[in-house]
Each structure stands twice: as structure tokens, then as C-alpha cells.
Amino acid sequence: MREETPHVPYGHRACGPDWVCEQCGRDWPCPMLRSIPTDAARRATLLPEFSRITRHAIRDLRGRPGGPDPVAIVRRFL
């Protein structure tokens, strides 16, 4: 199942279980997505969506050999 994220540049999105960018193959959110300037209003609209996606990523990524722990996943996504 694809996790859709609003306002994501074309192709720079991801879904589980790997959570890598479809466009550049880097860990998502990728550097391209992170480089987009955001103001406080936009962050406020994206926060609930990224929080939802983070829960799915924790489910998919925790416990993998060499994988991140839940705290690292939250830092990565938020």
C-alpha cells in the first residue's frame, strides 16, 4: 500500500517496508525533499501526515538487522 504525502516533489515519495525515495533511492525523506523550504504554516499542515507515516515506518523498520530504532526513525521523519 502506497503512503501518499501531499506537496511532495514529483517522484520523491516512498512507502514501506523499505522507506527509500522512489526517485533517487536515498533514505526517505530524501535530501531533495528536505531541501524544500517550508514556512510554519506548511509545516503545520504536513506534521499530521508525517506523524502518520512515521508510525508506519516504525512498524516496518524496527527490528531489522542493522535497522534503526524507533527514536532514530522519528528523528529521520520529523
Side-chain angles (χ1 to χ4, degrees):
M1 180 174 92
R2 164 161 312 290
E3 297 294 330
E4 293 296 331
T5 306
H7 314 294
V8 174
Y10 180 77
H12 290 275
R13 59 181 182 250
C15 64
D18 296 324
W19 297 98
V20 294
C21 177
E22 291 179 347
Q23 185 71 25
C24 63
R26 308 273 304 267
D27 283 347
W28 196 87
C30 67
M32 173 62 161
L33 185 60
R34 289 180 180 275
S35 72
I36 298 169
T38 58
D39 59 18
R42 184 156 185 245
R43 281 191 298 273
T45 61
L46 290 174
L47 189 58
E49 183 65 13
F50 273 73
S51 295
R52 184 183 68 78
I53 291 171
T54 300
R55 287 192 306 273
H56 290 282
I58 288 171
R59 179 198 63 211
D60 292 339
L61 296 173
R62 73 174 170 198
R64 286 186 172 191
D69 66 11
V71 173
I73 296 167
V74 169
R75 284 186 183 133
R76 173 178 151 184
F77 278 71
L78 300 179

